[in-house]
Amino acid sequence: MAAPAQKIVLSGYYGFRNSGDEAVLQSILIALKRQSEAAGISIEPVVLSIDPEWTSATYGVEAVHRMKLAEVRRAIGESSGLISGGGSLLQDVTSGKSIPYYLGVIKIAQWMGKPTFIYAQGIGPVQRKLFHPMIKSVFRKCTYVSVRDEQSRELLVSMGLRQGDVQVVPDPVMGLTLPEEMAPGRELKGQPAADSGGDTGLERPDLPIIGVSVRYWEKDRRELDAIAEGLRQVCRTLPVHLRFLPFHLPSDTEASKYCIDKLGNITENGSAISLSEEADHPQTMLREVGACSVLLGMRLHSLIYAAGRRVPLIGISYDPKIDHFLSRIDSRPVGTTASLDSEILAGEIVTLLKDEAAWREQREIPIDALIHEAEAPARRIVEYLSHKG
């Protein structure tokens, strides 16, 4: 008789329809399914979401409202453990409320005697020192802790954790695959069909596609102005299709439209421009990125998508996490949001368009290694649950 399924609660920035964080969730779900099947156990994920109905419909999993304490407590109480991550959950730059919330959810599970797992998180920046002992206290009681870069581990060590208790692993999105690439029978509910790429806007399929992922950052929009000017210079050099890919709705759509307005008329020499507004599922966006010849990205997960699909990429840094990821694939940002040279940007794009194969060849080994290692946390968690079960 088969053992009953073990429920595992997933806590993260889920249900907000931020493509990067939704990709993290999709990647973790895929990894847990793959690893649990290999171990011969059954796992039923329960996701804490700001929009549980949407999350349940999108991924085919049980979901409860992340801000309804009674529902959260009940879900954790009925579970075999809690996963916190991935993404940049423990940071106080965007909000001072994030760290108390995510630590609080972990603490509830620990009070209930449940094992807690930190899944490939990016820790920091943590500017308020009062949070340091709180993070140390909660993480020391976790069954397993993994972070997505060495800098996150160093920050945890500076807070008092032992280096050997923190595993450095790739961002889970490095392991994200398309439905048609998964083994038969391993598909998750809610995945898009193989041909559901949305409106690609590709009126000129002969043109090389430059995927563009932008966000608002600098108050004076200097980075978006420089990006628009750089792209305009590329269009003067050779005809291309600029495909804007918003990862966080609706703000990235607005940032994309800002750039499009700044670009003006670029169709005189045969170039084209379009905006993706249909890619609300991570794997749909993954397919969009995979169709690009080059990806220019501000969003971290746009760069991770590109690396995973072996698409030559150019990163613009607004946060250390961009630099950390690029360094792992032997790359550097073309500039920062505070200081971006449009001519250098244009030159880098043209260079990659002319020799995409060389970029892929130079980075094949580090990218393959990251993809292979991306499921390490899921493997460890499933091993623990297998022995406990």
Tab-separated table of all heavy atoms in Angstrom, residues 283-337:
chain	number	residue	atom	x	y	z
A	283	GLN	N	6.384	29.897	-17.904
A	283	GLN	CA	6.879	29.132	-19.042
A	283	GLN	C	6.521	29.784	-20.377
A	283	GLN	O	7.209	29.576	-21.374
A	283	GLN	CB	6.373	27.690	-18.964
A	283	GLN	CG	7.045	26.928	-17.820
A	283	GLN	CD	6.387	25.600	-17.552
A	283	GLN	OE1	5.176	25.518	-17.435
A	283	GLN	NE2	7.182	24.561	-17.439
A	284	THR	N	5.474	30.596	-20.386
A	284	THR	CA	5.174	31.370	-21.580
A	284	THR	C	6.250	32.425	-21.793
A	284	THR	O	6.734	32.636	-22.913
A	284	THR	CB	3.792	32.037	-21.471
A	284	THR	OG1	2.804	31.042	-21.206
A	284	THR	CG2	3.426	32.760	-22.766
A	285	MET	N	6.660	33.092	-20.718
A	285	MET	CA	7.745	34.071	-20.823
A	285	MET	C	9.062	33.390	-21.160
A	285	MET	O	9.877	33.923	-21.922
A	285	MET	CB	7.872	34.856	-19.520
A	285	MET	CG	8.949	35.949	-19.556
A	285	MET	SD	8.622	37.232	-20.784
A	285	MET	CE	7.576	38.333	-19.816
A	286	LEU	N	9.288	32.204	-20.611
A	286	LEU	CA	10.500	31.456	-20.934
A	286	LEU	C	10.569	31.185	-22.435
A	286	LEU	O	11.638	31.286	-23.050
A	286	LEU	CB	10.530	30.143	-20.155
A	286	LEU	CG	11.789	29.287	-20.294
A	286	LEU	CD1	12.990	29.961	-19.641
A	286	LEU	CD2	11.570	27.900	-19.680
A	287	ARG	N	9.432	30.859	-23.020
A	287	ARG	CA	9.392	30.601	-24.459
A	287	ARG	C	9.662	31.886	-25.241
A	287	ARG	O	10.325	31.866	-26.285
A	287	ARG	CB	8.031	30.001	-24.833
A	287	ARG	CG	7.971	29.461	-26.255
A	287	ARG	CD	6.675	28.735	-26.540
A	287	ARG	NE	6.662	27.415	-25.919
A	287	ARG	CZ	5.848	27.057	-24.937
A	287	ARG	NH1	4.992	27.917	-24.445
A	287	ARG	NH2	5.887	25.838	-24.434
A	288	GLU	N	9.137	33.004	-24.754
A	288	GLU	CA	9.403	34.306	-25.390
A	288	GLU	C	10.909	34.591	-25.398
A	288	GLU	O	11.472	34.974	-26.423
A	288	GLU	CB	8.681	35.415	-24.623
A	288	GLU	CG	7.199	35.506	-24.870
A	288	GLU	CD	6.859	36.550	-25.918
A	288	GLU	OE1	7.756	36.948	-26.689
A	288	GLU	OE2	5.679	36.949	-25.974
A	289	VAL	N	11.550	34.419	-24.241
A	289	VAL	CA	12.983	34.691	-24.151
A	289	VAL	C	13.768	33.754	-25.053
A	289	VAL	O	14.738	34.154	-25.711
A	289	VAL	CB	13.463	34.570	-22.690
A	289	VAL	CG1	14.984	34.645	-22.604
A	289	VAL	CG2	12.831	35.667	-21.831
A	290	GLY	N	13.349	32.497	-25.122
A	290	GLY	CA	14.049	31.524	-25.950
A	290	GLY	C	14.010	31.840	-27.430
A	290	GLY	O	14.847	31.359	-28.189
A	291	ALA	N	13.038	32.665	-27.850
A	291	ALA	CA	12.929	33.035	-29.261
A	291	ALA	C	13.845	34.206	-29.619
A	291	ALA	O	13.943	34.565	-30.796
A	291	ALA	CB	11.480	33.400	-29.588
A	292	CYS	N	14.507	34.795	-28.628
A	292	CYS	CA	15.344	35.976	-28.866
A	292	CYS	C	16.733	35.591	-29.376
A	292	CYS	O	17.241	34.513	-29.083
A	292	CYS	CB	15.494	36.786	-27.577
A	292	CYS	SG	13.939	37.477	-26.949
A	293	SER	N	17.326	36.502	-30.130
A	293	SER	CA	18.727	36.353	-30.544
A	293	SER	C	19.657	36.905	-29.480
A	293	SER	O	20.763	36.391	-29.272
A	293	SER	CB	18.968	37.095	-31.865
A	293	SER	OG	18.155	36.591	-32.897
A	294	VAL	N	19.204	37.970	-28.797
A	294	VAL	CA	19.950	38.600	-27.695
A	294	VAL	C	18.930	39.092	-26.688
A	294	VAL	O	17.834	39.529	-27.054
A	294	VAL	CB	20.806	39.788	-28.196
A	294	VAL	CG1	21.402	40.564	-27.028
A	294	VAL	CG2	21.921	39.308	-29.114
A	295	LEU	N	19.271	39.022	-25.409
A	295	LEU	CA	18.399	39.527	-24.352
A	295	LEU	C	19.114	40.637	-23.599
A	295	LEU	O	20.213	40.428	-23.070
A	295	LEU	CB	18.001	38.390	-23.400
A	295	LEU	CG	16.945	38.609	-22.303
A	295	LEU	CD1	17.455	39.454	-21.139
A	295	LEU	CD2	15.673	39.220	-22.872
A	296	LEU	N	18.504	41.819	-23.545
A	296	LEU	CA	18.995	42.943	-22.748
A	296	LEU	C	18.111	43.034	-21.519
A	296	LEU	O	16.904	43.254	-21.636
A	296	LEU	CB	18.925	44.244	-23.556
A	296	LEU	CG	19.171	45.544	-22.791
A	296	LEU	CD1	20.574	45.596	-22.225
A	296	LEU	CD2	18.899	46.754	-23.681
A	297	GLY	N	18.688	42.844	-20.320
A	297	GLY	CA	17.841	42.743	-19.149
A	297	GLY	C	18.292	43.545	-17.949
A	297	GLY	O	19.475	43.572	-17.613
A	298	MET	N	17.314	44.167	-17.289
A	298	MET	CA	17.522	44.734	-15.962
A	298	MET	C	17.047	43.742	-14.898
A	298	MET	O	17.669	43.608	-13.859
A	298	MET	CB	16.769	46.057	-15.813
A	298	MET	CG	17.354	47.218	-16.608
A	298	MET	SD	16.371	48.740	-16.433
A	298	MET	CE	16.577	49.106	-14.671
A	299	ARG	N	15.947	43.060	-15.169
A	299	ARG	CA	15.415	42.092	-14.208
A	299	ARG	C	16.333	40.861	-14.135
A	299	ARG	O	16.728	40.304	-15.158
A	299	ARG	CB	14.016	41.642	-14.625
A	299	ARG	CG	12.933	42.689	-14.456
A	299	ARG	CD	12.539	42.854	-13.017
A	299	ARG	NE	11.429	43.795	-12.855
A	299	ARG	CZ	10.979	44.213	-11.679
A	299	ARG	NH1	11.552	43.771	-10.555
A	299	ARG	NH2	9.992	45.069	-11.604
A	300	LEU	N	16.639	40.423	-12.898
A	300	LEU	CA	17.506	39.263	-12.705
A	300	LEU	C	16.976	38.047	-13.446
A	300	LEU	O	17.728	37.344	-14.133
A	300	LEU	CB	17.645	38.954	-11.216
A	300	LEU	CG	18.365	37.645	-10.870
A	300	LEU	CD1	19.823	37.702	-11.318
A	300	LEU	CD2	18.279	37.357	-9.368
A	301	HIS	N	15.687	37.780	-13.316
A	301	HIS	CA	15.180	36.538	-13.887
A	301	HIS	C	15.069	36.595	-15.407
A	301	HIS	O	15.027	35.547	-16.062
A	301	HIS	CB	13.864	36.137	-13.235
A	301	HIS	CG	14.071	35.528	-11.889
A	301	HIS	ND1	13.863	36.214	-10.723
A	301	HIS	CD2	14.540	34.304	-11.517
A	301	HIS	CE1	14.164	35.438	-9.692
A	301	HIS	NE2	14.584	34.284	-10.149
A	302	SER	N	15.068	37.782	-15.998
A	302	SER	CA	15.163	37.825	-17.459
A	302	SER	C	16.522	37.299	-17.892
A	302	SER	O	16.641	36.575	-18.894
A	302	SER	CB	14.953	39.261	-17.969
A	302	SER	OG	16.058	40.108	-17.665
A	303	LEU	N	17.569	37.623	-17.130
A	303	LEU	CA	18.918	37.143	-17.440
A	303	LEU	C	19.039	35.642	-17.174
A	303	LEU	O	19.681	34.912	-17.935
A	303	LEU	CB	19.940	37.913	-16.615
A	303	LEU	CG	19.934	39.439	-16.806
A	303	LEU	CD1	20.885	40.110	-15.814
A	303	LEU	CD2	20.303	39.809	-18.231
A	304	ILE	N	18.414	35.177	-16.099
A	304	ILE	CA	18.446	33.744	-15.786
A	304	ILE	C	17.696	32.946	-16.856
A	304	ILE	O	18.155	31.881	-17.291
A	304	ILE	CB	17.865	33.482	-14.389
A	304	ILE	CG1	18.782	34.096	-13.314
A	304	ILE	CG2	17.678	31.994	-14.137
A	304	ILE	CD1	18.249	34.009	-11.907
A	305	TYR	N	16.529	33.457	-17.288
A	305	TYR	CA	15.795	32.802	-18.382
A	305	TYR	C	16.699	32.672	-19.605
A	305	TYR	O	16.770	31.618	-20.251
A	305	TYR	CB	14.578	33.641	-18.781
A	305	TYR	CG	13.344	33.480	-17.952
A	305	TYR	CD1	13.391	33.157	-16.605
A	305	TYR	CD2	12.089	33.687	-18.513
A	305	TYR	CE1	12.245	33.038	-15.859
A	305	TYR	CE2	10.925	33.572	-17.774
A	305	TYR	CZ	11.009	33.246	-16.441
A	305	TYR	OH	9.868	33.127	-15.712
A	306	ALA	N	17.367	33.794	-19.959
A	306	ALA	CA	18.207	33.804	-21.155
A	306	ALA	C	19.344	32.799	-21.027
A	306	ALA	O	19.621	32.034	-21.961
A	306	ALA	CB	18.755	35.202	-21.399
A	307	ALA	N	20.001	32.781	-19.883
A	307	ALA	CA	21.101	31.837	-19.682
A	307	ALA	C	20.599	30.402	-19.815
A	307	ALA	O	21.231	29.564	-20.467
A	307	ALA	CB	21.751	32.056	-18.324
A	308	GLY	N	19.457	30.114	-19.208
A	308	GLY	CA	18.909	28.767	-19.269
A	308	GLY	C	18.555	28.330	-20.677
A	308	GLY	O	18.616	27.141	-20.998
A	309	ARG	N	18.183	29.295	-21.535
A	309	ARG	CA	17.839	28.983	-22.929
A	309	ARG	C	19.027	29.193	-23.855
A	309	ARG	O	18.888	29.112	-25.073
A	309	ARG	CB	16.667	29.849	-23.413
A	309	ARG	CG	15.425	29.785	-22.557
A	309	ARG	CD	15.004	28.390	-22.186
A	309	ARG	NE	14.560	27.586	-23.312
A	309	ARG	CZ	14.225	26.318	-23.226
A	309	ARG	NH1	14.308	25.687	-22.071
A	309	ARG	NH2	13.829	25.652	-24.295
A	310	ARG	N	20.209	29.492	-23.284
A	310	ARG	CA	21.451	29.729	-24.051
A	310	ARG	C	21.296	30.912	-25.010
A	310	ARG	O	21.818	30.904	-26.127
A	310	ARG	CB	21.872	28.506	-24.860
A	310	ARG	CG	21.948	27.157	-24.145
A	310	ARG	CD	22.546	27.174	-22.782
A	310	ARG	NE	22.976	25.852	-22.347
A	310	ARG	CZ	22.185	24.954	-21.736
A	310	ARG	NH1	20.921	25.233	-21.510
A	310	ARG	NH2	22.687	23.786	-21.348
A	311	VAL	N	20.593	31.944	-24.575
A	311	VAL	CA	20.438	33.159	-25.364
A	311	VAL	C	21.494	34.172	-24.916
A	311	VAL	O	21.563	34.489	-23.717
A	311	VAL	CB	19.024	33.766	-25.187
A	311	VAL	CG1	18.924	35.141	-25.854
A	311	VAL	CG2	17.970	32.817	-25.753
A	312	PRO	N	22.344	34.672	-25.804
A	312	PRO	CA	23.333	35.679	-25.408
A	312	PRO	C	22.667	36.848	-24.693
A	312	PRO	O	21.631	37.346	-25.147
A	312	PRO	CB	23.940	36.120	-26.746
A	312	PRO	CG	23.766	34.933	-27.639
A	312	PRO	CD	22.448	34.325	-27.238
A	313	LEU	N	23.245	37.267	-23.588
A	313	LEU	CA	22.577	38.244	-22.732
A	313	LEU	C	23.482	39.413	-22.365
A	313	LEU	O	24.701	39.289	-22.333
A	313	LEU	CB	22.036	37.567	-21.479
A	313	LEU	CG	23.049	36.841	-20.579
A	313	LEU	CD1	23.654	37.756	-19.534
A	313	LEU	CD2	22.390	35.632	-19.913
A	314	ILE	N	22.832	40.528	-22.072
A	314	ILE	CA	23.511	41.739	-21.615
A	314	ILE	C	22.761	42.230	-20.383
A	314	ILE	O	21.562	42.508	-20.454
A	314	ILE	CB	23.513	42.829	-22.701
A	314	ILE	CG1	24.220	42.343	-23.966
A	314	ILE	CG2	24.156	44.109	-22.174
A	314	ILE	CD1	24.052	43.271	-25.156
A	315	GLY	N	23.454	42.316	-19.253
A	315	GLY	CA	22.824	42.743	-18.017
A	315	GLY	C	23.155	44.180	-17.668
A	315	GLY	O	24.276	44.645	-17.890
A	316	ILE	N	22.176	44.887	-17.120
A	316	ILE	CA	22.364	46.234	-16.590
A	316	ILE	C	22.149	46.151	-15.088
A	316	ILE	O	21.113	45.686	-14.624
A	316	ILE	CB	21.377	47.227	-17.221
A	316	ILE	CG1	21.622	47.309	-18.733
A	316	ILE	CG2	21.507	48.610	-16.586
A	316	ILE	CD1	20.558	48.074	-19.490
A	317	SER	N	23.127	46.593	-14.323
A	317	SER	CA	23.104	46.379	-12.880
A	317	SER	C	22.411	47.518	-12.128
A	317	SER	O	22.727	48.683	-12.340
A	317	SER	CB	24.532	46.228	-12.355
A	317	SER	OG	24.517	46.053	-10.945
A	318	TYR	N	21.461	47.151	-11.270
A	318	TYR	CA	20.872	48.095	-10.326
A	318	TYR	C	20.981	47.557	-8.897
A	318	TYR	O	20.645	48.247	-7.938
A	318	TYR	CB	19.395	48.364	-10.668
A	318	TYR	CG	18.471	47.202	-10.376
A	318	TYR	CD1	17.815	47.101	-9.152
A	318	TYR	CD2	18.261	46.201	-11.311
A	318	TYR	CE1	16.978	46.033	-8.878
A	318	TYR	CE2	17.438	45.133	-11.048
A	318	TYR	CZ	16.793	45.059	-9.828
A	318	TYR	OH	15.965	43.985	-9.551
A	319	ASP	N	21.490	46.326	-8.779
A	319	ASP	CA	21.533	45.644	-7.490
A	319	ASP	C	22.673	44.627	-7.550
A	319	ASP	O	22.939	44.053	-8.613
A	319	ASP	CB	20.183	44.933	-7.254
A	319	ASP	CG	20.089	44.278	-5.879
A	319	ASP	OD1	20.700	43.198	-5.707
A	319	ASP	OD2	19.407	44.824	-5.006
A	320	PRO	N	23.362	44.366	-6.417
A	320	PRO	CA	24.461	43.390	-6.437
A	320	PRO	C	24.072	42.015	-6.957
A	320	PRO	O	24.916	41.285	-7.475
A	320	PRO	CB	24.900	43.328	-4.968
A	320	PRO	CG	24.515	44.653	-4.399
A	320	PRO	CD	23.244	45.032	-5.103
A	321	LYS	N	22.785	41.651	-6.832
A	321	LYS	CA	22.380	40.320	-7.286
A	321	LYS	C	22.590	40.151	-8.793
A	321	LYS	O	22.838	39.035	-9.259
A	321	LYS	CB	20.922	40.043	-6.922
A	321	LYS	CG	19.898	40.934	-7.616
A	321	LYS	CD	18.491	40.683	-7.075
A	321	LYS	CE	17.463	41.572	-7.750
A	321	LYS	NZ	16.099	41.363	-7.175
A	322	ILE	N	22.496	41.251	-9.557
A	322	ILE	CA	22.758	41.179	-10.994
A	322	ILE	C	24.221	40.831	-11.236
A	322	ILE	O	24.557	39.927	-12.004
A	322	ILE	CB	22.403	42.504	-11.688
A	322	ILE	CG1	20.935	42.883	-11.453
A	322	ILE	CG2	22.728	42.427	-13.181
A	322	ILE	CD1	19.928	41.967	-12.082
A	323	ASP	N	25.116	41.558	-10.553
A	323	ASP	CA	26.555	41.312	-10.705
A	323	ASP	C	26.915	39.891	-10.276
A	323	ASP	O	27.738	39.225	-10.924
A	323	ASP	CB	27.347	42.323	-9.871
A	323	ASP	CG	26.970	43.762	-10.191
A	323	ASP	OD1	25.866	44.189	-9.815
A	323	ASP	OD2	27.775	44.454	-10.808
A	324	HIS	N	26.328	39.423	-9.156
A	324	HIS	CA	26.635	38.086	-8.646
A	324	HIS	C	26.274	37.018	-9.661
A	324	HIS	O	27.049	36.091	-9.913
A	324	HIS	CB	25.884	37.832	-7.339
A	324	HIS	CG	26.273	38.758	-6.238
A	324	HIS	ND1	25.488	38.946	-5.109
A	324	HIS	CD2	27.351	39.566	-6.084
A	324	HIS	CE1	26.081	39.831	-4.321
A	324	HIS	NE2	27.200	40.217	-4.889
A	325	PHE	N	25.076	37.141	-10.260
A	325	PHE	CA	24.668	36.120	-11.229
A	325	PHE	C	25.553	36.171	-12.476
A	325	PHE	O	26.012	35.127	-12.961
A	325	PHE	CB	23.210	36.287	-11.627
A	325	PHE	CG	22.821	35.368	-12.754
A	325	PHE	CD1	22.699	34.004	-12.537
A	325	PHE	CD2	22.627	35.859	-14.047
A	325	PHE	CE1	22.384	33.137	-13.573
A	325	PHE	CE2	22.308	35.000	-15.088
A	325	PHE	CZ	22.184	33.643	-14.854
A	326	LEU	N	25.786	37.366	-12.996
A	326	LEU	CA	26.595	37.482	-14.209
A	326	LEU	C	27.992	36.901	-13.999
A	326	LEU	O	28.554	36.253	-14.895
A	326	LEU	CB	26.688	38.943	-14.650
A	326	LEU	CG	25.382	39.564	-15.177
A	326	LEU	CD1	25.583	41.044	-15.466
A	326	LEU	CD2	24.899	38.844	-16.431
A	327	SER	N	28.557	37.095	-12.805
A	327	SER	CA	29.895	36.577	-12.544
A	327	SER	C	29.924	35.055	-12.605
A	327	SER	O	30.950	34.459	-12.955
A	327	SER	CB	30.410	37.055	-11.185
A	327	SER	OG	29.684	36.461	-10.122
A	328	ARG	N	28.797	34.410	-12.288
A	328	ARG	CA	28.743	32.949	-12.287
A	328	ARG	C	28.719	32.374	-13.695
A	328	ARG	O	28.955	31.176	-13.881
A	328	ARG	CB	27.538	32.449	-11.486
A	328	ARG	CG	27.592	32.854	-10.020
A	328	ARG	CD	26.532	32.167	-9.191
A	328	ARG	NE	26.878	30.775	-8.918
A	328	ARG	CZ	26.162	29.974	-8.148
A	328	ARG	NH1	25.050	30.431	-7.568
A	328	ARG	NH2	26.522	28.725	-7.943
A	329	ILE	N	28.417	33.211	-14.696
A	329	ILE	CA	28.461	32.740	-16.086
A	329	ILE	C	29.535	33.508	-16.860
A	329	ILE	O	29.423	33.704	-18.076
A	329	ILE	CB	27.086	32.846	-16.779
A	329	ILE	CG1	26.575	34.291	-16.773
A	329	ILE	CG2	26.080	31.924	-16.125
A	329	ILE	CD1	25.381	34.502	-17.702
A	330	ASP	N	30.566	33.939	-16.129
A	330	ASP	CA	31.719	34.612	-16.742
A	330	ASP	C	31.326	35.849	-17.538
A	330	ASP	O	31.809	36.073	-18.658
A	330	ASP	CB	32.481	33.631	-17.649
A	330	ASP	CG	33.050	32.449	-16.878
A	330	ASP	OD1	33.300	32.617	-15.668
A	330	ASP	OD2	33.219	31.370	-17.474
A	331	SER	N	30.430	36.647	-16.980
A	331	SER	CA	29.988	37.881	-17.633
A	331	SER	C	30.060	39.048	-16.647
A	331	SER	O	30.202	38.852	-15.442
A	331	SER	CB	28.548	37.744	-18.154
A	331	SER	OG	28.458	36.763	-19.156
A	332	ARG	N	29.949	40.241	-17.193
A	332	ARG	CA	29.904	41.462	-16.394
A	332	ARG	C	28.803	42.351	-16.930
A	332	ARG	O	28.476	42.295	-18.123
A	332	ARG	CB	31.245	42.216	-16.475
A	332	ARG	CG	32.417	41.456	-15.899
A	332	ARG	CD	33.713	42.218	-16.123
A	332	ARG	NE	33.686	43.527	-15.482
A	332	ARG	CZ	34.647	44.436	-15.626
A	332	ARG	NH1	35.709	44.174	-16.394
A	332	ARG	NH2	34.569	45.594	-15.013
A	333	PRO	N	28.204	43.202	-16.071
A	333	PRO	CA	27.179	44.117	-16.580
A	333	PRO	C	27.776	45.111	-17.566
A	333	PRO	O	28.940	45.495	-17.452
A	333	PRO	CB	26.666	44.819	-15.310
A	333	PRO	CG	27.746	44.661	-14.305
A	333	PRO	CD	28.419	43.362	-14.621
A	334	VAL	N	26.972	45.524	-18.537
A	334	VAL	CA	27.433	46.496	-19.521
A	334	VAL	C	27.512	47.894	-18.910
A	334	VAL	O	28.167	48.784	-19.436
A	334	VAL	CB	26.500	46.492	-20.755
A	334	VAL	CG1	25.134	47.076	-20.412
A	334	VAL	CG2	27.133	47.229	-21.928
A	335	GLY	N	26.838	48.065	-17.769
A	335	GLY	CA	26.839	49.338	-17.053
A	335	GLY	C	25.854	49.259	-15.905
A	335	GLY	O	25.234	48.216	-15.676
A	336	THR	N	25.733	50.347	-15.177
A	336	THR	CA	24.774	50.415	-14.079
A	336	THR	C	23.661	51.379	-14.445
A	336	THR	O	23.793	52.177	-15.385
A	336	THR	CB	25.444	50.897	-12.784
A	336	THR	OG1	25.823	52.279	-12.931
A	336	THR	CG2	26.686	50.067	-12.463
A	337	THR	N	22.578	51.328	-13.694
A	337	THR	CA	21.479	52.261	-13.965
A	337	THR	C	21.919	53.702	-13.732
A	337	THR	O	21.415	54.614	-14.383
A	337	THR	CB	20.268	51.948	-13.073
A	337	THR	OG1	20.670	51.953	-11.695
A	337	THR	CG2	19.677	50.586	-13.413
